[in-house]
Amino acid sequence: MAQETQTNPKPMFESKVIGVSTPRIDGPFKTTGTAKYTSDHNFPDLVYAWPVTATISSGSVTGVDTSQARKMPGVVAVYTHEDIGPLYRTPPAAGFSMIQDERRPPLEDAEVRYYGQYVGVAVAKTVEQARAAAEAVRVSYKQTPLNINGTLLGTPLSTPSMRRGSHRGDAAASFEASAVQHDAVYKTPSATHNPIELHATVAVYDDGRFTLYETSQAIVNHRDTLAAVLGVSPENVQVITRFLGSGFGGKLWPWPHSALAAACARNLNQPVKLVVSRSMMFQSVGHRPAIDQQVKLGAETNGKLTTIVHNYVNHTSMADDYSEGCGEATALLYSCPNVDITSGMARRNVGTPTSMRGPGAVPGLYAVESAMDELAVKLEMDPVALRLLNEPEKDESSGKPFSSRHLAECLKVGAEKFGWSQRNPAVGSMKNAEGMTVGWGVAACSWGAMRIEAKAMVELLVDGTARVTCATQDIGGGTYTTFAQLVSHETGIPLQKVAVVLGDTRLPDGPISGGSWTTATITPAVLSAAQNAVKALVQVALRAQHSPFAGKSEDDLELVEGVVRLKADTSVALSQEEVLRLANIKAVSGNAESRGTLGAHNDYSFHSFGAQFVEVTWQPEIARLRVSRVVTVIDAGRMLNPRTAQNQIEGAVVMGIGMAMFESTEYDERTGAPINASLADYVMPVNADCPKIDVTFLDYPDYHLNALGARGVGEIGMAGVAAAVTGAVYHATGVRVRSLPVRIEDLLVPAHGHEVA
Amino acid sequence: MQPFEWSTATSISDAVKSQAGAATAQQGASVRYIAGGTNLVDYMKLNAETPRKLVDINGLELNGIERLPDGTMRIGALARNSAVAHDESVRAAYPVLSQAILSGASTQLRNMATTAGNLLQKTRCVYYRDPSTACNKREPGSGCSAIEGHNRMLAILGTSAHCIATNPSDQNVALMALEATVHVTGVKGPRSVPISAFYLLPGSTPQQETVLVPGDLVTHITIPALPEGARSGYLKLRDRASYEFALSSAAVVLKVENGRVAFVRIALGGVGTIPWRTPEAEEALRGKAPTAEHFRAAAEVALRAAKPQSQNAFKVELAKRCLTHALMQASQQA
Ligand SMILES: Cc1cc2nc3c(=O)[nH]c(=O)nc-3n(C[C@H](O)[C@H](O)[C@H](O)COP(=O)(O)OP(=O)(O)OC[C@H]3O[C@@H](n4cnc5c(N)ncnc54)[C@H](O)[C@@H]3O)c2cc1C
Ligand code: SF4
């Protein structure tokens, strides 16, 4: 396969599709209900699986009585750890394959380590029968003491000591010597991904081959991982995710239900559908862990930072190590000579945590940016000015220059749009037109930009259309549309004539949909594949019988808007259809593969930046707090499709509001059960909670990352929101909430200067 | 969900007959009427309710909303929550009822939910809904998981050592302040129960929530006319702006004459094991000037008996602010 070509990208100003707001090409399928999501796949003889889940969180299964369940109508099988058949552990992750957060295959043994762990599965002809049978299975347990202690910092760790991350200078000494000091602990609770689409697997088994319809944000990894779990070779597993009802990171890596469904299909030699219930979504498919973060900031009296210490501990499960990278942005956001970041994990009887939109940076920046706000109060300094003062020249953690950093401009533009200069810093001093108290808060944000490996294929067809294929998936963010835009941009074929086929591991291996890397990653692969397809078409044009281009060379020709023509005399031209018809060729294709920046040597530090400005309104007479206004300014490279990009930021801001004000998975201390495991009890923002969100993109292309200068916008919009909200809450109420979410009970105190930790 | 039988009632007596043989009309009832189904079916799916038989009453003509000649409002048991809330005469005569209903659930749910179904909706206590846990209301004698567990949403008034669950309804708080009457047809024929006598405190039998006995079908409710010049309103405080149950709510009816409170009725939601009427607070206000201080003093009285749980002490102050503000709003209406 051809390597990527960095040369010769189309200059931006010529593009009719890049940077142009483009409606999703898959929109009509979704709005008409014809988009086939995973659980919409049905087959003759399909049966339904419903897991039996543990009602303890620590101990072991001593007996499973399936006799009643087996007799129930429609029941085909009931499996436990004794008869599910072989399921293997995956070997350790290597690079970007075999990634799995919960590595124990389902029903491996009788051990129970978290509430809701699968201890059996019932299979029946209808989903209702399967559920009824699963509920009729009687499981007895031997319980051992559980630990779901919500305090993490200062409790025993999974390792002998904290792990040291990025560090420079002598933070301990400089903190002691700092004229102004701030030292506080910030807590974020467990949070559960709640995409509308439930996790699901439809497993079809045929003579040693598995076809798995999955709700996956990473089908290639899913294929390789499930092949290992099922003990078959990867070519015997095909994974399909045509549409995803979103994932927010929760669907990146395979969870036990997938192997469970596949094992049932194998055992029964029959297609099996398993849809994880909403309450199980709170148990066995990951969550953002609870995290305690200590942040110490030292500064000179003029606000210049001297010290940043960031120590944090996240909970992880008993069997797996999930570490939340809260310090990623801490090391590079500001100029500061002394930095020390350490982290640890504390084991609890909970399901294994996983990435949630903006993993690491989102909770990490809540802590660090809250601390910056508190420091600004101590310094009696404007929090925007404090950040501008500490703007670094380069990434001080690596010493590398930033590929493209415009945080200062984000802050300035945001301040201007928000009207920040009108801010009176005195607590509770500002009122809106209706006389309600308002509070204003600000936070900066950052998110790493990256490219990973990807392959893609572009075909140019005799009917004048193009087709692009890649084993990546559109998780709702607009990836189908991005592919079409890229091909249209490179070939001149109109968007409507570009077919995009994704979501099937039979296609060339594509990237995961995570880390906001998709756009940056597919751009070079698709552009190169399209260039190669065009070259192939030109070759055909030169060689076809009776070609008007006979005797010319490749360099003499160009493809413009689907027409191959002589550069010297553009009237000598053949359309793509004519070329291929003349040669009796159905389609020409171009393949390409692009490398990643991950693990490779890079000359630059690649990051996106942004600024969040938040207004809250506060009515103390009824203890009512609302986020009333958000201004977000984002520096994330070139926006290939401003329309879908804006959607991403708006959605992320809403999730940020949810994190700040509502979301928290609560565990019953006695059983370890996530107790608010339903959409009624797990509070998230509804439309009425969503204020006007003003999104601005600075739109500086980052040509160091790829030819179009695109980075990615899936996560950055959520970072910083919670800190801006709690800063605004402090400004309005005088209450500093250091334990999310901000709740009514935190704000009922009459006095100012209160702290909630 | 356990398998169940479905039947369709063709008349009131037919419905009553089909439930009459059941052992109880309370928790554990083997026969249940189904109206909108928005509460019952949810809880059947969770195995918190396990009826053997459902009797569909939607075919009965019990959905009328009418003003009787004496000014009484008569609302059929099957009148949908949305129909009641948007009814012109309800909105004119009882803003508190319209506001209370519209503050609850969502448009889709209100379009299905019925007056009687709302009257009889079960608590949202998370343990009640989870059959793997102990719950005296669901399984008498098994214990109460909430008292030492997750009880932030639960009650601070009317609790017992056996149950602290909140009655979650908004509608019922308004009906309490409006002194509605529940009309029931049972095995022995029709009877009427003032709403103040309709709900039972949990005591040692939290499974018994109302005075209904097997066969009892709620046919309609009536609401007496309010005194000329009385204002009413509903205020609901909750974690998010919409689509969420109350942490605290207040339904108030207030008439101010010559600068004095001439008539007042107060009911609180989100804080009681039943929709909570507070005659003492009303008494404290009568004849007083409609000032913030007097309203706050009445709120102090209303919450005097509050007994907070481990996670909901804040509700005491919240309920006071809620009631004070609701009274302020009512007094400021033109
Ligand atoms: C997500 C969600 C959010 C909600 N939020 C709120 C909220 O904020 N505020 C609020 O107040 N409510 C809320 N609700 C509850 C809602 O108001 C109730 O579900 C609804 O009012 C029940 O009415 P229904 O007709 O559907 O009752 P059903 O589910 O049909 O019946 C409920 C009970 O009443 C009995 N019953 C019904 N009709 C009669 C009759 N005529 N005679 C005797 N017994 C009868 C049934 O047997 C059953 O026991 C919410 C519900 C949901 C699902
Ligand atoms: S409060 Fe009532 S409903 Fe809740 S667990 Fe206790 S007994 Fe059951």
Side-chain angles (χ1 to χ4, degrees), chain A residues 444-739:
Chain A
C445 61
S446 162
W447 180 252
M450 213 194 279
R451 258 174 35 207
I452 53 179
E453 285 169 18
K455 294 176 190 167
M457 178 165 89
V458 172
E459 293 162 276
L460 304 175
L461 285 84
V462 68
D463 63 1
T465 65
R467 182 171 182 270
V468 55
T469 55
C470 178
T472 186
Q473 50 288 311
D474 186 336
I475 65 169
T479 304
Y480 276 112
T481 312
T482 308
F483 270 89
Q485 284 179 291
L486 291 169
V487 172
S488 176
H489 168 74
E490 194 57 42
T491 63
I493 296 171
L495 208 61
Q496 299 71 24
K497 287 192 166 185
V498 182
V500 184
V501 184
L502 309 176
D504 185 337
T505 52
R506 284 178 306 187
L507 307 173
D509 283 6
I512 67 165
S513 300
S516 306
W517 307 328
T518 314
T519 300
T521 294
I522 62 172
T523 294
V526 175
L527 292 184
S528 299
Q531 284 164 9
N532 292 335
V534 170
K535 277 190 202 145
L537 183 70
V538 167
Q539 287 301 332
V540 172
L542 290 169
R543 284 170 210 174
Q545 268 187 4
H546 315 300
S547 168
F549 309 119
K552 302 290 175 191
S553 79
E554 195 181 323
D555 292 341
D556 300 328
L557 302 190
E558 61 182 5
L559 178 84
V560 176
E561 314 232 344
V563 175
V564 181
R565 64 189 192 189
L566 261 186
K567 287 180 191 164
D569 176 2
T570 56
S571 69
V572 183
L574 283 182
S575 69
Q576 175 183 322
E577 292 101 310
E578 286 167 333
V579 170
L580 293 175
R581 219 177 303 124
L582 210 57
N584 191 29
I585 287 175
K586 179 85 189 295
V588 290
S589 65
N591 285 288
E593 176 174 0
S594 71
R595 284 161 311 204
T597 56
L598 181 72
H601 171 80
N602 300 305
D603 294 327
Y604 296 95
S605 171
F606 295 107
H607 285 82
S608 290
F609 297 92
Q612 309 278 8
F613 290 82
V614 167
E615 177 184 277
V616 299
T617 58
W618 168 234
Q619 296 168 270
E621 63 282 9
I622 49 171
R624 181 175 284 168
L625 180 79
R626 300 275 187 260
V627 175
S628 44
R629 199 155 63 93
V630 178
V631 170
T632 299
V633 184
I634 299 291
D635 165 33
R638 167 84 53 183
M639 292 307 128
L640 299 190
N641 186 350
R643 182 160 169 158
T644 48
Q646 181 171 339
N647 294 162
Q648 284 298 308
I649 300 300
E650 287 169 347
V653 167
V654 171
M655 277 183 90
I657 292 172
M659 174 185 180
M661 310 260 301
F662 307 118
E663 292 192 43
S664 169
T665 305
E666 321 244 346
Y667 300 92
D668 188 301
E669 300 229 339
R670 299 158 299 182
T671 59
I675 201 69
N676 55 341
S678 76
L679 286 185
D681 297 299
Y682 184 84
V683 185
M684 292 183 284
V686 293
N687 271 327
D689 295 296
C690 299
K692 190 176 165 358
I693 301 168
D694 179 340
V695 179
T696 303
F697 293 112
L698 294 188
D699 225 25
Y700 288 107
D702 186 347
Y703 291 127
H704 295 303
L705 193 61
N706 57 50
L708 297 184
R711 285 206 289 253
V713 287
E715 287 154 291
I716 178 94
M718 191 172 167
V721 176
V725 170
T726 52
V729 167
Y730 173 79
H731 184 221
T733 67
V735 178
R736 180 65 69 174
V737 180
R738 299 201 188 107
S739 178

Side-chain angles (χ1 to χ4, degrees), chain A residues 427-432 434-440 615-628 661 725 728-735 737 742-752, chain B residues 237-238 317-318 321 325:
Chain A
V427 164
S429 62
M430 295 182 67
K431 308 278 173 206
N432 66 11
E434 294 101 75
M436 284 188 240
T437 303
V438 298
W440 287 1
E615 177 184 277
V616 299
T617 58
W618 168 234
Q619 296 168 270
E621 63 282 9
I622 49 171
R624 181 175 284 168
L625 180 79
R626 300 275 187 260
V627 175
S628 44
M661 310 260 301
V725 170
V729 167
Y730 173 79
H731 184 221
T733 67
V735 178
V737 180
V742 179
R743 283 195 158 149
I744 287 179
E745 48 266 50
D746 299 333
L747 305 177
L748 274 171
V749 287
H752 283 169
Chain B
L237 305 182
R238 46 184 155 180
E317 172 62 19
L318 189 67
R321 291 195 198 180
H325 199 73

Side-chain angles (χ1 to χ4, degrees), chain A residues 29-377:
Chain A
F29 298 114
K30 294 184 174 176
T31 50
T32 57
T34 47
K36 234 179 170 190
Y37 287 84
T38 295
S39 66
D40 296 334
H41 288 89
N42 289 310
F43 298 91
D45 295 331
L46 179 88
V47 287
Y48 295 81
W50 194 279
V52 181
T53 57
T55 54
I56 64 163
S57 61
S58 178
S60 54
V61 173
T62 52
V64 188
D65 178 1
T66 61
S67 54
Q68 194 196 335
R70 283 180 203 278
K71 279 187 257 158
M72 288 172 69
V75 173
V76 177
V78 182
Y79 298 109
T80 69
H81 64 277
E82 291 184 338
D83 55 2
I84 188 66
L87 288 173
Y88 301 92
R89 282 187 182 245
T90 46
F96 254 91
S97 80
M98 299 284 183
I99 307 181
Q100 207 182 8
D101 282 325
E102 179 166 342
R103 301 191 83 83
R104 175 186 180 272
L107 309 185
E108 188 179 45
D109 52 31
E111 286 296 295
V112 177
R113 297 184 182 85
Y114 64 88
Y115 191 97
Q117 182 187 309
Y118 301 148
V119 292
V121 60
V123 188
K125 294 209 166 91
T126 70
V127 66
E128 292 83 4
Q129 290 169 334
R131 181 173 178 174
E135 284 163 358
V137 173
R138 295 283 153 255
V139 185
S140 43
Y141 303 97
K142 180 170 158 295
Q143 274 187 260
T144 49
L146 68 144
N147 180 358
I148 54 144
N149 183 2
T151 299
L152 300 165
L153 259 178
T155 62
L157 301 177
S158 65
T159 47
S161 61
M162 295 281 275
R163 199 171 56 89
R164 191 129 189 239
S166 180
H167 55 94
R168 55 186 187 261
D170 183 346
S174 74
F175 183 74
E176 285 308 315
S178 294
V180 183
Q181 299 174 341
H182 170 71
D183 180 356
V185 173
Y186 301 87
K187 289 175 76 76
T188 48
S190 280
T192 299
H193 315 69
N194 271 296
I196 286 297
E197 183 199 37
L198 301 164
H199 285 246
T201 299
V202 180
V204 181
Y205 181 74
D206 181 17
D207 196 17
R209 254 196 115 252
F210 292 89
T211 308
L212 305 176
Y213 298 84
E214 293 284 354
T215 50
S216 173
Q217 293 178 239
I219 54 172
V220 172
N221 178 71
H222 203 107
R223 172 196 65 199
D224 296 344
T225 306
L226 262 289
V229 173
L230 295 166
V232 298
S233 39
E235 65 268 24
N236 285 331
V237 178
Q238 181 189 353
V239 174
I240 295 172
T241 302
R242 295 287 185 208
F243 292 96
L244 196 82
S246 205
F248 306 119
K251 293 173 181 168
L252 272 169
W253 320 126
W255 294 100
H257 67 271
S258 174
L260 202 56
C264 291
R266 172 193 66 193
N267 296 355
L268 295 166
N269 201 9
Q270 220 171 339
V272 170
K273 182 185 290 192
L274 193 164
V275 180
V276 171
S277 75
R278 185 62 65 179
S279 62
M280 293 175 200
M281 296 269 283
F282 287 78
Q283 299 163 350
S284 47
V285 291
H287 58 275
R288 182 173 60 219
I291 313 164
D292 284 4
Q293 304 179 63
Q294 179 188 33
V295 181
K296 296 202 225 177
L297 298 179
E300 293 166 18
T301 48
N302 66 1
K304 189 77 203 70
L305 284 171
T306 58
T307 316
I308 304 174
V309 177
H310 190 180
N311 304 321
Y312 62 91
V313 176
N314 65 262
H315 82 206
T316 189
S317 57
M318 293 319 242
D320 299 294
D321 291 345
Y322 174 84
S323 175
E324 182 89 15
C326 296
E328 205 266 341
T330 315
L332 55 90
L333 196 53
Y334 298 112
S335 175
C336 181
N338 305 291
V339 175
D340 203 350
I341 300 169
T342 68
S343 65
M345 291 174 281
R347 297 209 183 281
R348 296 291 182 265
N349 289 97
V350 296
T352 301
T354 195
S355 305
M356 179 186 278
R357 201 174 198 171
V362 164
L365 284 169
Y366 157 64
V368 170
E369 286 298 283
S370 292
M372 284 295 279
D373 197 65
E374 296 203 56
L375 181 67
V377 172

Side-chain angles (χ1 to χ4, degrees), chain B residues 123-129 133-139 142-147 150-151 154-155 160-166 202 206 209:
Chain B
T123 183
R124 309 301 297 189
C125 173
V126 289
Y127 302 102
Y128 170 74
R129 285 180 281 152
T133 64
C135 168
N136 287 327
K137 191 188 278 293
R138 183 172 25 76
E139 233 182 291
S142 63
C144 171
S145 297
I147 289 174
H150 194 72
N151 54 37
L154 300 189
S160 75
H162 304 275
C163 181
I164 57 169
T166 329
E209 302 191 314

